[in-house]
Amino acid sequence: MRQSVLFPKTVKEDPKDAQSANHKFLVRGGFIDQLMSGSWSILPLGQRVIGKINQIIREEMNAIGGQELSLPLLHPKEIWNETERWDAAREVMYQLSDARGREYALSFTHEEIVMDLIRKKISSYKDLPLYVYQFSTKFRNEPRATGGILRGREFLMKDLYSAHVSEADLMAYYETVKEAYLKIFNRLGLKVLVTEAAGGVFTKAHTHEFQVLSPVGEDTVFYCENKNCGFSQNKEVAVVAAGGRCPTCQSSLIKEGRAIEVGNIFPLGTMYSEKMQAFFTDKNGARKPIWFGSYGIGPTRVMGTIVEEYHDEKGIIWPEAVSPFNIHLLGIKNQESRIMEKTEELYEKLTKAREEVLWDDREDVSAGQKFADSDLIGIPWRVVISEKSLAGGGVEVKKRNQAESKIVSQDQLLNFLLR
Ligand code: ATP
Ligand code: MG
């Protein structure tokens, strides 16, 4: 893509009242824009990052049998009354009425909606288990929408739902999803603590959150200092204290830290199916309630968390797996036709080789500004063509997270990038 037409331009100044790195850099780089508190437009660069994040999640969901679908965002009050969550979740749910006085909710989650599908479509043990997921907008009446894109009143969630014939089958799949989530966060470059937590307005059972240690996190976790041990509890359910001995490994000490919750899995049991009359007949013809679980990841919050983990004072340093482009190609002094021609030639060649290239083809922008934009946007490889690089026999290649650059001939560039 040509940077001369990329929407929008970068900005030098931090947005007002931006406290966190993700807020500053994602806004300045043109990845996102704030409409009002907690409400963000995802702009073309941001959309590319979200697309990469979603694709990683999608691959791992499909690998554990997930079938992708799409559920409505506007729900009738009646369905929320079936589980009494119209009242129980009133604080987070946007509730509204139409001109005829009919009442609705905007989706803050989809358990009831999936359960309605299940009771209509499933009747026998032969139809189970079932795993369905979607990527969709969730609306939540968050009292404090801060931290840039980390907490929105409207945000993206991947939500997976599973239905089973037995508790044992549900819990086996729960472990499968836990493993899939670990793969996802590993591919996304995030180190997570699998953390025991409460179930909020979803369940009375304990759940597991995937927490990334970070000073901007809003949760407090108590975790074992020995990374191989893996013990971690959210403060809201913790039975340990900082400085105490770890109850799991018995040898290391417990630490306390702030963390960002990027995922949460819920073994919901039969509460929803019993309230909503979702039953199946087993092998012996007996009528039984369906066992149910739900599993969420917030891709928009994940994007913000990655920026919190991967940045320096100049801007973002995207891990290759989620970067909006692989290569940032900069022509220095594009006004000179020799530079423009060489750069365009290389752009065509790289694009043909299926590399994703952002080409800074702008003529009216100084070299200093181009380098600053490149550091801000944070694409992993920077390739510069200038009089100096051509005199040196090729192009100047630099990784975003390294200080030294190297001159490589145009022919060797692709091999060099493949490492
Ligand atoms: P929090 O405790 O941070 O309010 P939650 O526990 O209410 O989040 P869940 O219902 O567990 O959130 O939602 C699943 C996932 O959706 C979360 O792990 C997170 O990644 C994402 N998410 C939840 N709330 C928000 C939000 N307000 N903005 C952005 N992402 C969110
Ligand atoms: Mg949660």
Side-chain angles (χ1 to χ4, degrees):
M1 152 136 224
R2 288 168 185 254
Q3 202 169 338
S4 58
V5 295
L6 177 64
F7 175 78
K9 291 190 183 67
T10 61
V11 281
K12 280 209 185 76
E13 297 75 34
D14 287 339
K16 268 194 243 99
D17 49 74
Q19 307 283 334
S20 48
N22 85 85
H23 189 173
K24 285 181 200 166
F25 292 137
L26 288 173
V27 170
R28 285 183 44 210
F31 293 80
I32 60 174
D33 181 74
Q34 188 167 27
L35 175 65
M36 60 177 177
S37 174
S39 167
W40 296 91
S41 298
I42 309 291
L43 304 174
L45 280 178
Q47 193 65 25
R48 291 184 75 103
V49 175
I50 295 291
K52 298 259 169 101
I53 294 170
N54 288 355
Q55 187 53 27
I56 288 173
I57 297 174
R58 180 176 286 119
E59 284 168 17
E60 299 300 339
M61 291 296 99
N62 291 346
I64 58 169
Q67 302 183 51
E68 189 170 353
L69 46 62
S70 192
L71 303 166
L73 306 186
L74 188 64
H75 309 155
K77 174 181 182 177
E78 293 70 32
I79 203 162
W80 290 99
N81 270 339
E82 289 189 50
T83 56
E84 289 128 55
R85 288 215 285 180
W86 180 268
D87 290 320
R90 190 178 274 281
E91 283 194 358
V92 285
M93 204 187 307
Y94 283 106
Q95 301 181 340
L96 48 132
S97 52
D98 69 10
R100 286 156 294 165
R102 267 200 215 124
E103 292 184 281
Y104 303 91
L106 292 180
S107 67
F108 85 99
T109 183
H110 280 91
E111 281 80 11
E112 281 77 351
I113 314 308
V114 172
M115 201 43 93
D116 180 62
L117 274 175
I118 289 174
R119 70 181 166 191
K120 286 190 287 204
K121 311 282 181 197
I122 282 181
S123 55
S124 156
Y125 70 94
K126 290 179 192 156
D127 304 327
L128 294 167
L130 174 72
Y131 319 122
V132 292
Y133 72 98
Q134 63 172 346
F135 293 89
S136 88
T137 299
K138 300 285 183 278
F139 299 88
R140 291 190 185 177
N141 194 347
E142 301 278 0
R144 278 182 350 110
T146 54
I149 194 121
L150 295 178
R151 183 172 297 284
R153 296 209 163 90
E154 179 179 338
F155 58 94
L156 190 61
M157 197 197 288
K158 181 288 302 171
D159 39 337
L160 165 72
Y161 302 86
S162 71
H164 308 263
V165 293
S166 67
E167 181 171 22
D169 198 53
L170 166 63
M171 293 319 292
Y173 192 69
Y174 186 79
E175 291 305 317
T176 301
V177 178
K178 205 188 272 176
E179 291 304 315
Y181 271 35
L182 289 174
K183 280 189 200 155
I184 289 167
F185 292 120
N186 186 40
R187 288 179 67 182
L188 293 170
L190 292 175
K191 289 200 182 72
V192 290
L193 288 167
V194 181
T195 304
E196 203 184 324
V201 293
F202 292 85
T203 175
K204 291 195 169 62
H206 275 192
T207 71
H208 288 92
E209 294 171 341
F210 295 76
Q211 296 276 6
V212 177
L213 289 173
S214 164
V216 304
E218 292 189 68
D219 283 18
T220 300
V221 297
F222 292 99
Y223 62 99
C224 180
E225 62 180 356
N226 174 4
K227 289 198 179 67
N228 299 325
C229 168
F231 173 88
S232 180
Q233 285 184 326
N234 193 306
K235 187 179 181 179
E236 60 193 6
V237 298
V239 294
V240 295
R245 205 157 282 285
C246 172
T248 299
C249 71
Q250 304 288 344
S251 54
S252 301
L253 297 182
I254 295 295
K255 281 181 151 182
E256 177 177 349
R258 306 279 285 184
I260 306 169
E261 182 203 315
V262 286
N264 203 174
I265 57 177
F266 302 81
L268 298 170
T270 57
M271 188 274 273
Y272 289 83
S273 55
E274 280 170 29
K275 287 191 168 158
M276 292 186 67
Q277 302 287 305
F279 292 89
F280 71 98
T281 32
D282 74 5
K283 279 197 181 94
N284 309 315
R287 196 162 167 268
K288 290 183 169 165
I290 286 170
W291 289 81
F292 194 46
S294 72
Y295 317 85
I297 295 181
T300 40
R301 181 179 286 181
V302 163
M303 174 164 77
T305 306
I306 293 172
V307 176
E308 293 299 326
E309 295 298 293
Y310 294 93
H311 70 268
D312 60 15
E313 68 290 348
K314 293 177 185 161
I316 305 167
I317 307 171
W318 291 111
E320 296 212 30
V322 297
S323 182
F325 294 91
N326 312 333
I327 300 171
H328 201 174
L329 175 62
L330 273 56
I332 301 301
K333 290 227 174 92
N334 279 331
Q335 311 85 293
E336 287 171 28
S337 55
R338 190 162 96 101
I339 300 282
M340 195 59 140
E341 277 161 26
K342 286 275 181 204
T343 321
E344 183 156 21
E345 198 183 293
L346 184 56
Y347 175 69
E348 299 296 341
K349 186 172 153 191
L350 291 170
T351 306
K352 263 203 198 99
R354 299 190 159 270
E355 294 289 343
E356 295 173 279
V357 186
L358 179 63
W359 169 24
D360 194 343
D361 60 331
R362 297 173 298 175
E363 292 188 12
D364 53 352
V365 174
S366 72
Q369 178 66 46
K370 288 189 176 184
F371 289 129
D373 275 353
S374 185
D375 284 339
L376 175 61
I377 292 171
I379 295 167
W381 293 97
R382 191 186 75 187
V383 174
V384 174
I385 294 192
S386 62
E387 287 300 345
K388 193 177 123 205
S389 81
L390 292 177
V395 299
E396 188 186 334
V397 185
K398 190 180 98 63
K399 281 212 88 174
R400 174 64 180 85
N401 59 358
Q402 288 169 5
E404 321 80 54
S405 63
K406 206 175 171 173
I407 302 264
V408 183
S409 79
Q410 280 210 29
D411 293 338
Q412 279 165 8
L413 179 62
L414 274 174
N415 288 334
F416 184 82
L417 296 179
L418 289 172
R419 279 151 318 256

